[in-house]
Amino acid sequence: MDTTNRKGMEKLYLKRLFILLFLFPASLWAQDALSETPVRSTDTEAINEIVTGLNTVWMLLAAILVFFMQPGFALVEAGFIRTKNTANVLMKNLIDFMFGSILFWFIGFGLMFGVGGFVGTPHFFNLDIMDKVIDNGLPIEGFLIFQTVFCATAATIVSGAMAERTKFSMYLVYTIFISVLIYPVSGHWTWGGGWLMNGEENSFMTNIFGTTFHDFAGSTVVHSVGGWIALVGAAVLGPRIGKYGKDGRSKAIPGHSLTLACLGVFILWFGWFGFNPGSQLAAATGTDQTVISHVFLTTNLAACAGGFFALTASWIKYGKPSLSLTLNGVLAGLVGVTAGCDLVSPFGAVMIGAICGIVMIFSVDFIDHILKIDDPVGASSVHGVCGCLGTILTGLFATEEGLLYGGGYNFLLAQLFGTTVVGCWAAGMGYLIFKGLDKIHGLRVPNRIEEEGLDIYEHGESAYN
């Protein structure tokens, strides 16, 4: 019986081996045939839909992170001012996004991304027109909300520098001008197809510099615009009561909660991982994933370097490692690297963060003691000065066109020119708007309201009861 079973098993194994030897070449032939078969259009469409879906989800996720920067700004500003004005500054940060979103949807989006040289053509609510103009493969509604959160960031920077003495009604008015005029126009020059980013043959930038202005995520477009408007607004408004003595010396007016300020900086740091990497607007391909990862790394390194070197500089300058200046140092590093986070190496990001963190310390001192401009949160230095500085430093540290990497002076000069033009536009328009509002209605609250606090008089309630 055993012999019979063994012979049967051998025959079965031989049959199976024969089948395998016959089917293996057939399977290889089938694979070759499939590989030679052209992909059907329906398959291409399905792949494109997946790619568009991934890119859309990434863009909206980044928009969520940038939106979350709004409470970050609110907490930083609230922490750096006095208790009696907390509800007022929180209200301003809230109204920035609500009012700014409606205004940017209504007209600002078209002015920034519409067809035109100096400024885009207004669209007045009609997104179908913008969908035909903007061809980036993404839903126009998603792209609008992504750009809206950036616009809100530029507007909210101003509230901190002008805190504790500005009429709430006047704040509403100049928020309109920022959302529908100042930011969209300079944004059109740089991100909306305008003359600073036009690289066509015989364009202005190509003829003069041989290259275009580069601001990947908004060191100049967003942050310096908000920073220069904030500086001019604080200058026109004048210092808080008691800020400068009769001898002209500056007196410290401490904020009521460094705890809130520190939490706000951590939230902003977190949100910046949407602000910078999200500006790639795509995540489906290997190239996109590499760029996003690189930007994540350079953004974080610059923040760490900015905070560390600000801490060190404040320790040397004032004898103590200042928490408030360290917090602003982190923000200075983030603002500085935002322009070139896609072009600089990790070492370049650390250098940009370190330089911005140190310069911020001396900028705060210069604006406060020399210019006599009262900026309670240091927004002018962090966003205005470091936004411009970081954009210019991109011309030094960019690994391809940067001066320190053998790229010559052209890219550096283009960066310097673009930063200067946008800065002059923001500061000049800010001055005209603030001066006009001050003459017409007055920007500042009466002395009694300022001394007793804006919360009760302006809003009828207090943040702390």
Side-chain angles (χ1 to χ4, degrees):
M1 247 346 246
D2 290 340
T3 304
T4 304
N5 287 339
R6 190 182 302 112
K7 288 181 179 180
M9 293 296 293
E10 288 175 354
K11 290 180 180 180
L12 180 61
Y13 286 139
L14 287 173
K15 288 180 180 178
R16 289 180 178 178
L17 179 60
F18 175 78
I19 292 171
L20 286 174
L21 290 174
F22 176 78
L23 290 179
F24 183 68
S27 66
L28 290 177
W29 175 83
Q31 289 178 17
D32 291 339
L34 285 172
S35 64
E36 293 174 1
T37 303
V39 179
R40 295 173 299 174
S41 60
T42 53
D43 296 333
T44 303
E45 292 173 0
I47 293 171
N48 289 338
E49 286 181 1
I50 293 172
V51 169
T52 302
L54 288 172
N55 292 340
T56 302
V57 170
W58 166 245
M59 178 182 65
L60 294 178
L61 176 61
I64 292 169
L65 290 173
V66 179
F67 168 73
F68 196 53
M69 293 172 73
Q70 290 294 127
F73 278 114
L75 292 177
V76 168
E77 293 173 13
F80 280 147
I81 65 170
R82 290 168 289 185
T83 308
K84 60 185 179 180
N85 299 310
T86 304
N88 177 259
V89 82
L90 293 176
M91 186 65 151
K92 287 174 179 176
N93 278 269
L94 190 64
I95 204 69
D96 274 333
F97 192 81
M98 295 189 300
F99 214 26
S101 294
I102 295 173
L103 293 169
F104 194 71
W105 165 61
F106 168 56
I107 188 172
F109 187 50
L111 296 178
M112 187 165 176
F113 292 98
V115 177
F118 179 81
V119 66
T121 305
H123 68 295
F124 299 116
F125 300 114
N126 192 343
L127 290 181
D128 291 335
I129 294 176
M130 298 304 298
D131 196 21
K132 297 174 182 177
V133 173
I134 301 171
D135 184 22
N136 57 10
L138 296 167
I140 193 65
E141 294 86 354
F143 187 65
L144 168 61
I145 195 64
F146 182 78
Q147 294 299 331
T148 297
V149 293
F150 277 73
C151 178
T153 299
T156 200
I157 291 169
V158 183
S159 60
M162 300 177 66
E164 302 201 282
R165 68 250 198 228
T166 307
K167 292 178 180 177
F168 183 71
S169 58
M170 290 297 95
Y171 185 80
L172 292 176
V173 175
Y174 69 71
T175 295
I176 296 175
F177 285 102
I178 294 172
S179 300
V180 304
L181 179 63
I182 302 177
Y183 174 76
V185 170
S186 58
H188 179 74
W189 300 346
T190 48
W191 287 349
W195 60 285
L196 284 178
M197 69 171 290
N198 186 356
E200 297 177 359
E201 188 177 355
N202 294 324
S203 67
F204 176 83
M205 294 297 289
T206 303
N207 287 336
I208 302 298
F209 303 105
T211 186
T212 59
F213 177 71
H214 181 84
D215 188 356
F216 183 72
S219 287
T220 290
V221 179
V222 178
H223 294 282
S224 79
V225 166
W228 293 133
I229 297 173
L231 180 65
V232 171
V236 172
L237 196 58
R240 291 168 290 176
I241 296 173
K243 175 61 180 175
Y244 297 99
K246 293 180 180 180
D247 58 357
R249 296 185 64 181
S250 174
K251 298 180 180 178
I253 303 179
H256 82 279
S257 176
L258 283 179
T259 303
L260 290 181
C262 186
L263 177 59
V265 168
F266 273 117
I267 291 174
L268 287 171
W269 195 340
F270 175 72
W272 234 286
F273 292 127
F275 201 95
N276 287 1
S279 295
Q280 179 66 10
L281 290 177
T285 68
T287 300
D288 294 327
Q289 293 151 21
T290 300
V291 172
I292 290 169
S293 301
H294 179 80
V295 171
F296 257 94
L297 177 61
T298 54
T299 299
N300 189 60
L301 289 175
C304 295
F308 177 76
F309 279 90
L311 181 154
T312 304
S314 68
W315 203 339
I316 294 171
K317 184 174 176 61
Y318 301 111
K320 299 287 184 182
S322 168
L323 173 59
S324 58
L325 290 175
T326 301
L327 294 175
N328 271 342
V330 171
L331 298 180
L334 288 165
V335 169
V337 81
T338 294
C341 52
D342 62 323
L343 297 183
V344 302
S345 67
F347 174 77
V350 170
M351 292 302 298
I352 290 174
I355 293 169
C356 289
I358 294 171
V359 168
M360 181 275 303
I361 299 290
F362 293 94
S363 175
V364 167
D365 189 72
F366 178 78
I367 291 173
D368 186 18
H369 293 90
I370 306 300
L371 298 182
K372 307 292 184 184
I373 297 176
D374 182 16
D375 181 351
V377 304
S380 306
S381 298
V382 171
H383 300 277
V385 173
C386 292
C388 286
L389 181 59
T391 309
I392 295 169
L393 289 174
T394 302
L396 291 177
F397 291 102
T399 55
E400 293 185 5
E401 295 184 273
L403 178 63
L404 298 180
Y405 290 81
Y409 288 93
N410 286 350
F411 185 50
L412 175 62
L413 293 175
Q415 293 297 96
L416 180 61
F417 176 77
T419 301
T420 303
V421 168
V422 174
C424 290
W425 161 259
M429 291 302 297
Y431 180 80
L432 292 176
I433 291 167
F434 289 128
K435 268 295 184 182
L437 292 176
D438 197 37
K439 292 290 185 182
I440 295 171
H441 193 266
L443 280 173
R444 190 169 184 142
V445 297
N447 288 352
R448 179 185 174 186
I449 295 177
E450 183 178 345
E451 289 172 347
E452 296 186 20
L454 277 68
D455 286 3
I456 297 298
Y457 284 93
E458 290 275 277
H459 306 286
E461 54 191 353
S462 174
Y464 303 99
N465 296 308

